[in-house]
Amino acid sequence: MANVTDLQTKYSKLAQEYSKLRAQNQVLKKAVVDEQANSVSLKEQLKQRDQSLRKQEQEMDSLSFRNQQLARRVELLQEELALCEAKGKKGKLQNKGDSPSQRARETKNVFDEDLQKKIQENERLHIQFYEAGELHRQQEAELRARLRELENQSEQHQAVISGLNAKYTDTIERLQSDKARLEVKTQTLEREAKECRMRTEECQQQLRRCQAELSRQVKQSSSVIQEKVPFNDTQFIDYNSLNVPPHNRRHQLKARDVAGQALSFIQDLVAALLNFHSYTEQRVHIYPRDSSIEPISALNQKFSQYLHENAAYVRPLEESFLQLHQSITEDTVTVLETVVKLKSFADHFSSYVQFLKKILPYQLKSLEEECETPLCTAALTAKNQELQSDVKKVTSLFEKLQNFINILALPSVCQDVVPQSSTSTVFTQLAGCLHSLDDAVKEMSKHYNQKAVLEQELPTVTQKLLTTSECLLASLGSLSSSTGKIATFFSNNLDFFTSAAYSPKGSTVALSPLQAESMLANKKKASAYIHTIKKPRPQSVPYSEALSNRRILTSSTESREGLTQQVQQSLEKIARLEQEKEHWLLEAQLGKVRLEKENQRIADLEAQLAAALGGSSAAPSAAAGTLTQSHEETEAESRAAEKESTLCTSLVGMLCTTPSVEHLGDEESREQLIKTHYMARVGELTTQLQISDSKAVHFHSECRALAKRLAIAEKSRESLSEDVKLANQNVTRLQDELATTKRSYEDQLSMMSDHLCSMNETLTKQREEIDTLKLGSKGNAKKNKGR
């Protein structure tokens, strides 16, 4: 049910994100439409400006033609003026009158004024035409730049829209598949719930029948006791030296159920701690220095070596608590004085706390080393300082938990060490400490998440560091979830932990192991006695069957609410066990290979040693020649260790020798030197082998991470290649459209320019004919006047 709830929440979150992205898509579509409308309006403005440019060019052509006409007219007027002046001189010689010369001067003045006006008007028109041309070219350049910018924005918007559409399509498909899977799972859970309800109803009916039968038997037994047993010595403590309490089967079932739930939480906590320490070790090899590029500091090497040993301290917690859970059965007595396996769990927890205290200074120094890097910002330094305080706080809370657990484990070792009245106080303070630990882990997870966000903004961050940080955040999240579940579970069952289930009647003294043994013996005697009784009524149920039915009924009633949760936990446990099985199979294969190598190496060394010993007894000179190099290498060590014991440790075993060269002969000293040399060589090879194995495991994990990143990169490359193909198709299409539009515009411009040229030529011819006719008519008029 928890998984279904998580999936429903994820589905709702995805639906919300989809709605947000859909709204953003609508906004982007609207923006693209607006930009397209703007581009269309700009194109229309460009067309209008082109039309105005063509009009101005036409006007310029007409003005130039008009200017040519005026120039011709000025030339004609100048010719006429010259003729008039010549005629005036002749008339002056002939006629001394002043009237023709005055008329000629007036006419000349009029022509001069007219010519000056035309010249000024021509200059003004030339200036206006030049300014209009410059303004048009500037506006055309601005509009073309704006058009290119809008086209680029349109292409970008189109690319964003296509990417969002692909993303929405993938999200919708994934949501639909999740929905189908959830529907199938919901149907199966509904069927299981129906079956559980049917079984519950049957069990309730059986319970009612059993209660009616038991109440009848109780009445009958009480009447028999009142009639047949007149003396009851349980109310007089002085007469009972061993007042044994009855066996509380309900308490035992509750204790086993609580231990089972605690075991599942401890397993989750152990898995989270293993992941946290492993990913911390991997991060030490990556940041602040990458071990594949440059060697890490000696401090981080030691820190990594300690973190590599975390499984030796964390795994025993789960194993010892599993043994504790297995020791609690229905036929035992479970109190603090009889739970012997709790001491083993307390010892293993103490060793893990010592491990945390051992790695604490290295962890603080590692964070300080991260702060000393050149690219570490002030915000990252502050987060590292907060993480240092969080790590100190978590370690101190684990140490506090260790003290409480050791106090609870003392009654099983030493009787009457912890009073029964103080155990409730210890349990209460333990619950408060668990809640404090949950808060501290959540705070550390929050600070580390903020630190990871800040590290993503660094320019030198690598994908390997990002992946490791994500895995570390996931492990911290599971650790926070585990501590929260443990704290809630302990608070919910605090009444059960502090209640006294077994105590002698009329006494407040705790139950002793002797009383527990007597209680179990009395229980066995009562069970055997009831089994031997022959029931007179054939319809009665045997006691063994009633016990089994009661067990089934109680377990069904108690586990009815948590059935779905237990199924989910079982599935998770199966998956985790499969992963651990694969891991240990790989470890077994590696160990087998190392064992074969070591056996082969030991056989070779023994053969060489036997050959050296045989050679020394047969031919001392040849053996001395063969072992000269080894003797020279170990001569200094043998001189320094003449009176000290030599200790060699390897995978084969441990050899402790005390050489004394003074009292041994040449052969024995030579043999001792050979043994010392080969044992030192075996130790060196063993160390190299262990280093190689650790590097191989590290490289294997890195290869797996690289394989995952490669798969992700391949998927992203495929999606990007599809996007590039679509973009290339759009570019090709737009280029074709642009070429077509350009060609059509050029054709239209050529046609319009041809038409304008033909029209200008026609107009020029017409104006020339008109001017010619006008000049002809003026010449005729002048001739007529002269006549």
Side-chain angles (χ1 to χ4, degrees):
M1 292 297 290
N3 193 10
V4 172
T5 307
D6 294 338
L7 290 174
Q8 287 178 354
T9 54
K10 289 180 180 179
Y11 181 76
S12 62
K13 288 180 180 179
L14 289 173
Q16 293 176 1
E17 291 180 359
Y18 175 71
S19 61
K20 291 179 181 178
L21 293 174
R22 191 172 182 180
Q24 293 177 0
N25 188 14
Q26 294 294 332
V27 174
L28 288 173
K29 285 183 178 179
K30 186 177 180 181
V32 170
V33 171
D34 294 338
E35 293 297 333
Q36 290 177 353
N38 291 331
S39 64
V40 171
S41 63
L42 289 173
K43 288 180 180 179
E44 292 294 332
Q45 291 179 4
L46 183 62
K47 290 180 181 179
Q48 292 176 2
R49 294 299 172 87
D50 289 336
Q51 291 177 1
S52 63
L53 178 62
R54 286 192 290 271
K55 288 180 181 179
Q56 290 177 0
E57 287 178 352
Q58 291 176 3
E59 290 178 358
M60 184 181 70
D61 293 337
S62 61
L63 289 173
S64 60
F65 179 73
R66 182 64 179 169
N67 192 10
Q68 292 175 1
Q69 286 182 350
L70 290 173
R72 292 177 183 175
R73 187 175 178 182
V74 167
E75 290 176 356
L76 293 174
L77 290 173
Q78 287 176 353
E79 291 177 357
E80 289 180 357
L81 180 62
L83 293 172
C84 289
E85 287 179 352
K87 289 180 180 181
K89 288 179 180 180
K90 292 179 180 180
K92 189 177 181 180
L93 293 174
Q94 292 176 2
N95 299 320
K96 294 181 178 180
D98 295 333
S99 59
S101 60
Q102 291 178 357
R103 282 197 300 271
R105 290 193 194 95
E106 290 176 359
T107 305
K108 182 179 179 181
N109 291 331
V110 169
F111 284 145
D112 289 338
E113 290 178 358
D114 190 10
L115 180 62
Q116 190 67 28
K117 288 180 181 179
K118 295 296 181 181
I119 290 171
Q120 291 177 357
E121 184 179 0
N122 192 10
E123 290 178 356
R124 183 176 56 79
L125 290 174
H126 274 291
I127 292 169
Q128 290 180 357
F129 177 74
Y130 179 74
E131 291 177 354
E134 290 293 330
L135 180 62
H136 174 71
R137 282 193 294 272
Q138 184 178 1
Q139 290 179 354
E140 183 180 3
E142 291 178 355
L143 290 174
R144 289 185 183 278
R146 179 64 177 169
L147 180 61
R148 285 194 296 270
E149 183 180 358
L150 291 174
E151 287 178 352
N152 293 330
Q153 290 180 0
S154 177
E155 290 176 358
Q156 292 176 359
H157 287 309
Q158 194 65 31
V160 170
I161 290 171
S162 61
L164 290 174
N165 287 330
K167 185 177 179 181
Y168 295 154
T169 305
D170 296 337
T171 306
I172 290 169
E173 292 177 355
R174 187 171 66 255
L175 290 174
Q176 287 178 353
S177 62
D178 292 341
K179 182 180 179 182
R181 187 171 63 254
L182 288 173
E183 287 178 353
V184 173
K185 194 167 186 179
T186 305
Q187 292 176 0
T188 56
L189 291 174
E190 287 178 354
R191 287 196 299 269
E192 292 178 358
K194 288 180 181 178
E195 294 176 357
C196 292
R197 282 196 293 270
M198 294 173 64
R199 289 171 56 190
T200 304
E201 291 176 357
E202 294 176 358
C203 292
Q204 287 178 354
Q205 292 177 1
Q206 293 179 4
L207 178 62
R208 285 193 290 270
R209 288 197 297 268
C210 292
Q211 285 178 350
E213 183 66 23
L214 289 173
S215 62
R216 186 184 61 78
Q217 290 181 6
V218 166
K219 289 180 181 178
Q220 184 179 0
S221 300
S222 61
S223 63
V224 169
I225 289 170
Q226 289 175 2
E227 293 175 359
K228 304 296 182 181
V229 186
F231 178 71
N232 187 6
D233 60 350
T234 56
Q235 57 185 341
F236 300 101
I237 302 174
D238 297 333
Y239 299 150
N240 291 306
S241 60
L242 186 61
N243 189 6
V244 180
H247 186 270
N248 194 345
R249 183 173 172 275
R250 189 184 301 276
H251 175 77
Q252 288 302 122
L253 293 173
K254 179 67 175 176
R256 182 161 180 80
D257 186 20
V258 169
Q261 295 179 15
L263 176 61
S264 64
F265 294 144
I266 291 294
Q267 289 173 349
D268 295 339
L269 179 64
V270 166
L273 289 173
L274 286 173
N275 291 331
F276 175 67
H277 292 313
S278 301
Y279 289 126
T280 304
E281 178 189 1
Q282 188 175 353
R283 177 182 168 82
V284 167
H285 284 283
I286 296 173
Y287 188 78
R289 296 179 183 176
D290 195 348
S291 60
S292 61
I293 300 174
E294 56 180 339
I296 61 177
S297 62
L299 177 72
N300 282 336
Q301 286 181 359
K302 197 70 175 176
F303 186 32
S304 174
Q305 183 180 356
Y306 285 152
L307 287 174
H308 193 67
E309 302 170 356
N310 68 88
Y313 297 96
V314 181
R315 290 287 183 190
L317 295 176
E318 181 180 356
E319 296 173 358
S320 58
F321 204 88
L322 179 62
Q323 294 176 1
L324 174 62
H325 175 255
Q326 292 174 353
S327 66
I328 301 174
T329 61
E330 185 181 349
D331 298 328
T332 58
V333 178
T334 304
V335 289
L336 290 177
E337 290 78 8
T338 60
V339 181
V340 183
K341 299 293 183 180
L342 184 60
K343 181 61 179 174
S344 175
F345 176 73
D347 294 338
H348 290 301
F349 194 84
S350 300
S351 64
Y352 176 67
V353 172
Q354 294 299 324
F355 169 73
L356 288 179
K357 291 167 69 176
K358 181 172 68 173
I359 67 173
L360 177 61
Y362 294 97
Q363 199 164 3
L364 298 178
K365 291 291 184 182
S366 178
L367 290 172
E368 290 179 1
E369 186 176 349
E370 289 184 9
C371 295
E372 293 174 358
T373 55
L375 295 177
C376 185
T377 60
L380 269 178
T381 304
K383 292 303 172 187
N384 287 331
Q385 292 175 357
E386 291 176 355
L387 283 175
Q388 287 179 346
S389 62
D390 292 338
V391 170
K392 291 179 183 178
K393 187 175 181 181
V394 169
T395 306
S396 64
L397 288 173
F398 267 104
E399 189 174 359
K400 194 174 179 181
L401 283 176
Q402 171 199 352
N403 297 330
F404 289 135
I405 294 173
N406 287 331
I407 291 172
L408 293 177
L410 283 177
S412 62
V413 181
C414 303
Q415 297 296 324
D416 299 331
V417 175
V418 181
Q420 187 177 5
S421 59
S422 63
T423 56
S424 60
T425 306
V426 175
F427 278 116
T428 305
Q429 293 182 358
L430 180 59
C433 186
L434 286 172
H435 281 288
S436 300
L437 179 63
D438 180 35
D439 295 336
V441 172
K442 286 180 180 177
E443 193 71 17
M444 184 169 67
S445 177
K446 182 182 72 174
H447 290 160
Y448 205 93
N449 193 0
Q450 295 173 356
K451 178 185 176 182
V453 172
L454 292 174
E455 285 179 350
Q456 289 178 1
E457 299 175 357
L458 294 176
T460 58
V461 67
T462 59
Q463 185 65 31
K464 189 191 300 184
L465 178 60
L466 294 177
T467 306
T468 306
S469 299
E470 290 177 0
C471 296
L472 194 55
L473 287 174
S475 64
L476 278 173
S478 60
L479 181 61
S480 175
S481 177
S482 301
T483 53
K485 290 179 181 178
I486 291 173
T488 306
F489 159 76
F490 205 86
S491 299
N492 293 335
N493 295 282
L494 189 60
D495 295 336
F496 171 75
F497 292 136
T498 55
S499 63
Y502 296 99
S503 61
K505 294 182 179 179
S507 176
T508 58
V509 182
L511 183 69
S512 63
L514 181 61
Q515 290 176 337
E517 292 178 2
S518 301
M519 183 192 303
L520 293 177
N522 291 335
K523 181 178 181 299
K524 290 179 181 178
K525 289 180 181 179
S527 178
Y529 175 74
I530 291 175
H531 278 296
T532 55
I533 295 176
K534 294 182 179 179
K535 300 294 182 180
R537 292 185 295 274
Q539 67 272 13
S540 63
V541 180
Y543 187 70
S544 59
E545 187 177 353
L547 284 177
S548 62
N549 291 335
R550 173 65 178 173
R551 187 181 299 111
I552 294 170
L553 180 62
T554 306
S555 62
S556 299
T557 304
E558 291 179 352
S559 63
R560 179 177 57 187
E561 293 83 1
L563 184 59
T564 307
Q565 184 178 1
Q566 290 179 5
V567 170
Q568 186 64 30
Q569 290 176 357
S570 300
L571 292 174
E572 294 176 356
K573 188 175 180 181
I574 288 168
R576 187 169 63 251
L577 289 175
E578 288 292 336
Q579 294 178 359
E580 291 180 359
K581 178 183 175 184
E582 294 178 359
H583 173 69
W584 290 117
L585 284 175
L586 181 60
E587 290 290 336
Q589 291 177 1
L590 293 175
K592 187 176 179 181
V593 172
R594 289 199 297 266
L595 181 60
E596 291 177 357
K597 289 182 179 179
E598 289 299 324
N599 289 333
Q600 184 67 29
R601 189 178 292 110
I602 290 166
D604 295 338
L605 292 174
E606 289 178 353
Q608 293 177 7
L609 184 60
L613 291 173
S616 65
S617 61
S621 60
T626 307
L627 300 173
T628 301
Q629 186 177 0
S630 63
H631 179 70
E632 290 176 357
E633 293 176 356
T634 59
E635 185 176 359
E637 298 178 359
S638 64
R639 288 175 182 174
E642 284 179 356
K643 295 180 181 181
E644 295 179 2
S645 61
T646 303
L647 182 63
C648 296
T649 305
S650 66
L651 292 176
V652 180
M654 183 180 292
L655 176 63
C656 183
T657 61
T658 307
S660 178
V661 182
E662 295 177 358
H663 301 286
L664 296 176
D666 294 334
E667 294 180 358
E668 293 179 354
S669 63
R670 190 181 298 111
E671 182 180 354
Q672 189 63 38
L673 289 173
I674 291 169
K675 286 183 180 179
T676 305
H677 170 70
Y678 281 113
M679 291 307 294
R681 184 61 179 166
V682 167
E684 293 176 359
L685 293 175
T686 303
T687 305
Q688 292 178 3
L689 181 62
Q690 290 176 355
I691 294 172
S692 301
D693 290 338
S694 62
K695 286 184 178 179
V697 172
H698 176 65
F699 290 153
H700 177 67
S701 61
E702 284 188 353
C703 289
R704 291 179 64 184
L706 288 172
K708 291 181 180 178
R709 291 205 297 272
L710 180 61
I712 295 170
E714 288 292 332
K715 290 182 180 178
S716 63
R717 185 179 64 80
E718 292 176 357
S719 61
L720 290 174
S721 62
E722 293 294 331
D723 294 338
V724 168
K725 288 180 181 178
L726 293 174
N728 290 330
Q729 292 176 0
N730 291 329
V731 168
T732 306
R733 180 174 55 80
L734 291 172
Q735 287 178 353
D736 294 336
E737 292 179 357
L738 180 62
T740 304
T741 307
K742 186 176 180 181
R743 196 181 304 113
S744 62
Y745 281 160
E746 289 177 353
D747 295 336
Q748 290 178 3
L749 287 172
S750 62
M751 291 174 64
M752 291 295 293
S753 59
D754 294 336
H755 180 67
L756 287 174
C757 290
S758 62
M759 292 296 293
N760 287 330
E761 290 177 357
T762 306
L763 289 172
T764 303
K765 290 179 180 179
Q766 290 178 357
R767 287 175 181 174
E768 287 178 354
E769 291 176 357
I770 292 170
D771 292 333
T772 304
L773 292 173
K774 285 182 179 180
L775 290 173
S777 61
K778 287 182 179 180
N780 294 326
K782 288 179 179 180
K783 288 179 179 180
N784 293 326
K785 288 180 179 180
R787 289 176 183 177

